[in-house]
Structure formats: C-alpha cells, structure tokens
Amino acid sequence: MRRILSGIQPSGQLHLGNYFGMMSRMIDYQENNDLFCFIVNYHALTTMQDGKLLQENTFNAACDFIALGLDPEITTFWVQSDVPQVTELTWLLANITSVGLLERSTSYKDKIAHGITPNMGLFTYPILMAADILLFGGEIVPVGKDQKQHLEITRDIAIRFNNIYGNIFVVPEPDINKTTQLVPGIDGQKMSKSYGNSIPIFASEKYIRKQVMSIVTDSTPIDESKSIDTTLFQLYSLFLNEAEREELADRFRTPGLRYGDVKKELFNRIMDLFTPFREKRVELEKNRGDVIAILRKGADKAAAVAEQYLKRAREVVGVNYC
Ligand code: ADP
Ligand code: TRP
C-alpha cells in the first residue's frame, strides 16, 4: 500500500478547483491506499489573522471533506496543529534550506503581487509544507498544478537532508492530473478561494447560480461556431466523460449555440453531482462533537507516525543529546 498524503488550507469556501484538482482524487485513492489527509491551519495563519474565522473555517473544511466522501475509518484525517511535532521538524529542516530556494518560490511572489504584505510565515511556508509531507513518510502527493513547485522544494529539502544525515526521509512524488490540474475561475484565471472567482461547492444555490451565469464568454455571434478553448467549455468538461465531451465540442462548433443555455446546463450538472454531498454536510454540521472526535482520533494516529520520523531526525541532527 502506498502512503498518499495531501492537505488543504482552511482559508475559505471550498470550490470546484479544490474538488477536481485534489479532493476527489484523494477520496478515490482511499480504498486501496494508506491515505493521510489534513487541514493545514498553521499554513492558513500566513494570510489570516482572524482567530474566530480560522476556527470556524477549520471545522467547515473538516465537514467538507467528510461530506464529500472521505471515510475517517480508513483514512487518517486530522488538523495540522493537533500534531505540533510538525513545527519542530520545520525548524530542523529550516537549517538545511537555503534562503535562495525560498526566494525562488513563485507562490510567494504571486501572493505579494496580489497585495499581501509578506511575513516570515509566508516566506517559510514551503518548509512547513515539506515538514507536513516528510513527517508522515508521504510517497505520493495529489495536488493541483499551483503546488508543483512546492513539491519540488520538498523534494530538494528531503534529498539535502538525506545527503547530510543519511536516509531518513521518503522523497515524495507529486501527483498532478493533466485534465484537472488548473481549473479556471469564472474570470478565466486560476480558480482560487481568495480571488472572488470561484464556484463554491457548499455555497447557497443562488450564489452558485450567480457565479455560473457570470462565467466569462466571448462575443462570438450566435450564428457562428464557438471556440472550445474557453473557460465555459473547460468548466463543463469537468463533469463529462470522453464521449460527452466530444458531443459538447460538436455543439460548440455548430452555429446556433447560446452560452446562456450551456451555463444553465452546467449549473444543473453541478447541483446533480453535489446535492447528495450538500445534504450530508448539513447533517454533519449539526453534529459538531462527532466531527471533532473524528479529528482528534485522526491526530492520535498521525502523531504516532510523526513521532517515529521526528525521533530519527532529532537523533541524526544531534539535538537528542542524552
Ligand atoms: P486556493 O488556491 O483556492 O486557496 P488551496 O491552496 O487551499 O486553494 O488548494 C487546495 C488544493 O486544491 C491544492 O492541492 C491545490 O493545488 C488545489 N487547487 C486549488 N485551486 C485549484 C485550481 N484552480 N485547479 C486545480 N487545483 C486547484
Ligand atoms: N500548500 C498547499 C495548498 O495551498 C497546502 C498544503 C500544506 C499541502 N501542506 C501540504 C498540500 C502537504 C500537500 C501536502 O494547497
């Protein structure tokens, strides 16, 4: 069994990009693999300074994952800060990580470009992420394309640590799916919780409809054929199999297609897929205690694995002096 591991920030409402880029793939993996899945609230601190909101978002992210089908009986599911060993490993790794490696992080540069004033947490974010993965021996890490460089940094850190101290850590492989690696938002840019361009899975039906109807389209006249290299086509394709996608492509190429009609169909597809999960989520939200108990149990399981890796790391770097 392979150890498959990934995390998500509790930084806002879960959207189609998160679902297709990472969450649904994690959930598909859980049957035949050893799945580790966590909510990275320490990472969220790099951009959030509202404690109450972070608490609420963390609980919400847990409900999201469980409602979507993550099965805590077979998957180790926890909140990052419940296994604080990760912060100690972050420190050990920080001391073998060059500043230059972090300065090349495009995610860091992007966030600054979007107006975030950088703090040291944001700068060292990739080291905490490396610790997240190495502390649990993650072999395969399902993520969207935006995390590719973070995975490369993790690999660099693991290889460097192993070169200096001996083979302690598993060097992980990213698992990025070509068709879902970069889900566009309604404005055609990458869909993101923080860009206001997302289609959130658990928002009100009214809001989801509004977002779908606002997907950018071009001004090609109705009686001309439409391009399939568009946001609307890409978003709709997420819900289709190969044959259905071909059919949609034909409809786009045939003059007469109205974008408004396609948007309504897409909205229906979204609701068809997610309505059962939305209903399950309402139930979960009512049982706060149960959800918290699941997370605590997951943290205990995760901590047992973390302890093993951390103990070896402490020994080889020499802080375990007695
Ligand atoms: P966001 O960018 O919305 O804040 P996160 O950084 O929490 O989302 O990402 C959680 C997971 O979802 C990561 O694996 C990330 O790569 C994936 N993901 C986020 N946005 C997209 C997207 N637009 N397309 C594909 N995957 C995405
Ligand atoms: N940086 C990831 C994101 O924003 C979240 C994350 C933190 C993560 N630690 C991780 C993903 C470990 C995979 C493995 O999406």
Side-chain angles (χ1 to χ4, degrees), residues 119-256:
N119 52 47
M120 283 312 290
L122 193 65
F123 186 63
T124 55
Y125 182 115
I127 311 180
L128 178 57
M129 179 156 162
D132 271 339
I133 300 171
L134 304 184
L135 190 60
F136 305 99
E139 294 168 79
I140 313 273
V141 185
V143 282
K145 190 179 174 200
D146 59 337
Q147 297 301 313
K148 189 167 183 266
Q149 193 191 26
H150 280 155
L151 258 297
E152 280 159 11
I153 295 175
T154 297
R155 287 173 57 86
D156 279 357
I157 291 175
I159 290 167
R160 185 162 165 75
F161 191 97
N162 286 351
N163 279 341
I164 300 172
Y165 293 113
N167 247 348
I168 304 294
F169 294 121
V170 175
V171 180
E173 296 285 342
D175 175 48
I176 299 172
N177 181 292
K178 271 255 165 298
T179 45
T180 59
Q181 62 176 353
L182 212 176
V183 173
I186 60 169
D187 57 357
Q189 307 299 306
K190 176 199 165 237
M191 188 178 286
S192 175
K193 297 192 201 96
S194 46
Y195 302 166
N197 67 354
S198 80
I199 301 180
I201 296 172
F202 294 109
S204 71
E205 208 172 316
K206 191 172 162 201
Y207 184 73
I208 296 176
R209 181 181 286 112
K210 178 181 157 277
Q211 292 295 87
V212 172
M213 295 316 285
S214 313
I215 293 169
V216 282
T217 45
D218 55 29
S219 50
T220 312
I222 292 178
D223 56 1
E224 283 179 26
S225 73
K226 314 287 185 301
S227 165
I228 60 166
D229 193 15
T230 52
T231 304
L232 182 57
F233 185 83
Q234 278 179 52
L235 284 171
Y236 200 155
S237 293
L238 296 169
F239 296 83
L240 306 178
N241 62 32
E242 204 58 52
E244 290 173 322
R245 199 170 299 153
E246 256 323 297
E247 216 175 282
L248 184 68
D250 274 348
R251 287 176 59 203
F252 266 67
R253 287 187 208 108
T254 310

Side-chain angles (χ1 to χ4, degrees), residues 5 7 9-10 38-47 78 80-81 83-95 97 102 119-136 147 150-151 153-154 157:
L5 166 152
Q9 293 195 57
F38 45 99
I39 299 168
V40 295
N41 56 348
Y42 282 150
H43 277 106
L45 280 178
T46 61
T47 49
W78 76 101
Q80 186 183 37
S81 62
V83 185
Q85 288 89 334
V86 74
T87 57
E88 182 173 355
L89 183 59
T90 300
W91 182 249
L92 302 188
L93 299 178
N95 291 289
T97 305
L102 300 183
N119 52 47
M120 283 312 290
L122 193 65
F123 186 63
T124 55
Y125 182 115
I127 311 180
L128 178 57
M129 179 156 162
D132 271 339
I133 300 171
L134 304 184
L135 190 60
F136 305 99
Q147 297 301 313
H150 280 155
L151 258 297
I153 295 175
T154 297
I157 291 175

